[in-house]
Amino acid sequence: MMEQLSGRDRPARPEFEVVPSSLGQGLTVEGLTKRFGSVVAVDRLSMQVHPGQILALLGPNGAGKTTTLLCLAGLLRPDAGRIAWQGNALGPERTRAMALIQETPEVYDMLTVWEHMVFVARSCGVRGAWPARAEQLLERLDLTEKRDTLGEALSKGMRQKVLIAAAVLADTPVLLLDEPMIGLDPKGQRELREILVEIRERGAAIIVSTHLLEYIDTLCDSVLILKQGRVLMSGPISEIMHERANQRLEDVFLEVTR
Amino acid sequence: MIRSLTPALSPSDSLRALIYLDWHIFLNRVRTIRRDPKRLLMWGVFILVILTVIPQRFLLRSSAAPVISEVATFLNIVTTFVPGLVLVFLGLKIANSRKAMGLFRSAADARFLCGSALPPRVIVLWLDFRMLRLLLMQLPAYALWFLIFASNIRGAIAGILAFGLSMGLFFGIVLGLNLPLVRLSHSKSAVLRVAGASLAVVGMASLGTAVSRVGHLALVPPAIAPILLGLPPGSWMVGGFHANLWAFLALGICMIIAFALTLVVAHDVYPEVWESSLRMITVRRLMRQSGGFLSPRETRQAMREAGVQQRQRPTAAVSSQGRHVPPGAWTLLWKEWLAAIRVRGGLRWPVITLMAAIVIGWGAGGGFGRLPPVVQLNLIALPLYLLVIINMMMSIRLGVDLRNPLWWLSSASLTARLLVLTLARSLRQVIPLAAGLLAAAIAAGSVAVFVLGLLLFAAAIWAVQAMGIGVYTIIPTPVDLRGPGQLLRMLVLMALLIPIVIVFTIAAVLSEHVAIGLLTASATAILEGWGLLMFAASRLQGNGLAFAQAERR
């Protein structure tokens, strides 16, 4: 179900959540609020992302996308709100449930790509034949040749890939990506899209914050548009495109955030 | 497939993972240095200096015991100020508890540590331990001072160990209190501000008592003075410097209590650690991208993008009517004045600096004559050294001016414009300095203090500014905070100081009067500065944009 809210009638809290029919499944966020002094960066945001879904978090600059992701990842303390996974409220331990890959990806300068994999396996308690999985991941992400390269020598795109490989290896249930396509070449962007689809199929809930709208409709299942911390529109992309048959997602975004 | 949360690792597995991380970072650092030994250049210079100092120590040991005893007197005087300084530091720390000490060094820490199954308490303690280790890494820099001051090598080693342990325990207390104070500041902000301010006031009283004792001024009642000068934990630190076991024990117990408090709050402090580290993470990232060059505008933009809270800067100002603008190159003086009054806070900080200079000048002037000669010498040498170093470290950049077409429209000569620019930048320090020296001269009843002091300090400041511009036209990068470029530039600046030191020595020895040596050295500094300005002008003439572009690179 999709709803567009516009003008002064727009309520502070969205009437419709992404998939309201199965509340309690996957990642549930209710009334998330974050203030910086007098500025309300995120205003009573509610959403739900199911396992096996990708949600696109859209909005102009300063909309509150990054703040939302940082709150979810446990790196900012929300002023209000509830975050739950599979119906269980999450406190500080949510850092273990959510892997955040920030817009400026950073890895340890003095660890090689492979040592990052080893550390993630050890620190996340990955059991079983993880070395084979890690090798596969590196190959999949074109990182095999960079296996022994130090973090300080990796390009932004490569660092991005290392973080993605680490998140996949750790098998984190929720993956949060802030502007993941920026800094990647076209091949890298395609690889990332394919990997995200694979992760989705493995049952992870994914939130992608982005300004690049061209790949959203093919990659994501639902969309949430923010402006000044408030939800302007949310719903499955298929419904949005169905209701606005003559419009592209870009047009919808520009109209809603006008 | 629906995944559940990964259970937290056991403390032993967590420690193994963290040791793996630390050990491999260390190994790779060693390998990197082996591949690129230039990274050891700074350490090489340091070890070279140490090696040249050790033979001098043996010579001093046999022949110059009086010098050592005077130095010991000086150190004893310095330690009188430690209890006050420590209390002021702790007071300010408690009053500003919301601004925690950042423990993450990069966003990788947030991603790989917070996002792992390691228990938060283990991670926070490990981050604290890493910070403590980094702070103690500074210790070898102090080794040089111990070698210079101690009466023998064994004494130097014992001194380094006692000093290191004492400082380590104190930093441990500060680190241990860091996160508990931040958490407390969310609910008891006002209480902490009052408590911090009270502690700082007591510290100031202790500092005042120390000044009174050093200057033999009867400002504090004799009954209170020993109490104010023996306040912990500073007095324990002083005891630690003298290898007093009870002092170490007291500091150690405080540190254990502080870390126990950290453990209490550590299960839920990642947001605070992240917020307090964000500025440092952004600065480090920016430095890596730009090779150490950080322009204020780029820094502000990066901070804004990273979400670091910044104070609003004024975006409009009342335009000057331009009635009293000096002509020619002197217009630059007017431009620098406008820049000075339009920074955030306006003239507040310059006025505070001026007042502080007058107070310090008055205090120093009053007791100066009664101080031992070695203290007098240090009271002149240390501020002079600091002024020279600060001026050297201050980024000397002309890129903003050189890129501006208005700079090149001026009819005044380039040398004149550079001269006015250096004068304008020097004036910011010379004005409070002159006020302080005037106060000192009045208190001491000596005109020589003002005339000689002003000439010496002003010439030093201006000459270093001129040298900075001269060196800029050879290496057009700002003096950044790291890298071989900085070292090279510092070495060039140091080399330029050599003629001044030689002239001072010759003049002082020949005339058998330090004042004549200082006057001659000041004149040499001015001459050298003028020569360097002309050199800089000849390099920049017709080629300014190339320097501006080189500075950007």
Side-chain angles (χ1 to χ4, degrees), chain A residues 75 77 85-86 95-97 99-100 102 104 106 108-110 115 118-119 122-124 152 171 202-204, chain B residues 1-3 5-6 9 17 20-21 24 28 39 106-107 109 111 114-117 268 271-272 274 285 288:
Chain A
L75 292 177
R77 193 179 294 284
W85 172 249
Q86 303 294 79
T95 54
R96 297 208 306 273
L100 169 64
Q102 300 198 43
T104 313
E106 285 200 35
Y108 286 114
D109 285 349
M110 284 291 147
E115 284 163 353
V118 179
F119 179 67
R122 286 188 173 204
S123 63
C124 295
E152 70 172 4
D171 211 15
R202 289 165 59 86
Chain B
M1 184 172 64
I2 308 282
R3 266 90 54 93
L5 284 190
T6 323
L9 289 184
Y20 174 88
L21 176 67
H24 280 81
N28 289 329
R39 294 188 183 216
S106 82
D109 281 334
R111 172 67 203 93
C114 300
S116 69
D268 184 17
E272 283 75 18
W274 170 256
R285 185 190 295 150
R288 205 166 43 226

Side-chain angles (χ1 to χ4, degrees), chain A residues 25 34 36-37 51 70 73-77 85-86 90 92-104 106-112 114-116 118-120 122-125 127 150 152 159 162-163 166-167 170-174 199 201-205, chain B residues 1-9 13 16-18 20-21 24-26 28-29 31-32 35 39 104-118 120 126 130 183 186 267-272 274-275 278 281-282 284-285 288-289 305-307 309:
Chain A
Q25 288 291 302
K34 178 67 190 172
F36 293 108
L70 287 168
L75 292 177
L76 281 182
R77 193 179 294 284
W85 172 249
Q86 303 294 79
L90 291 176
E93 76 279 12
R94 69 177 178 279
T95 54
R96 297 208 306 273
M98 306 197 203
L100 169 64
I101 299 176
Q102 300 198 43
E103 185 182 349
T104 313
E106 285 200 35
V107 295
Y108 286 114
D109 285 349
M110 284 291 147
L111 283 193
T112 64
W114 179 251
E115 284 163 353
H116 277 91
V118 179
F119 179 67
V120 166
R122 286 188 173 204
S123 63
C124 295
R127 308 282 174 217
L150 287 175
E152 70 172 4
R159 291 199 300 269
V162 172
L163 290 175
D171 211 15
T172 319
V174 183
I199 300 171
E201 283 164 5
R202 289 165 59 86
Chain B
M1 184 172 64
I2 308 282
R3 266 90 54 93
S4 56
L5 284 190
T6 323
L9 289 184
D13 284 345
R16 267 200 288 276
L18 290 170
Y20 174 88
L21 176 67
H24 280 81
I25 285 176
F26 173 73
N28 289 329
R29 203 175 292 282
R31 285 178 191 141
T32 314
R35 277 197 297 270
R39 294 188 183 216
F104 290 151
R105 288 176 61 75
S106 82
D109 281 334
R111 172 67 203 93
F112 288 103
L113 296 177
C114 300
S116 69
L118 305 174
W126 182 78
R130 187 178 68 177
R183 289 308 307 272
H186 290 304
H267 71 287
D268 184 17
V269 285
Y270 288 156
E272 283 75 18
W274 170 256
E275 281 185 68
L278 200 50
I281 290 172
T282 310
R284 282 171 64 89
R285 185 190 295 150
R288 205 166 43 226
Q289 286 166 357
E305 284 170 5
Q309 297 293 299

Side-chain angles (χ1 to χ4, degrees), chain A residues 5 9-15 43-46 229-231:
Chain A
L5 312 160
D9 299 330
R10 191 177 295 142
R13 187 171 174 173
E15 287 174 6
D43 191 3
R44 287 168 285 176
L45 182 146
S46 295
R230 300 174 78 174
V231 178

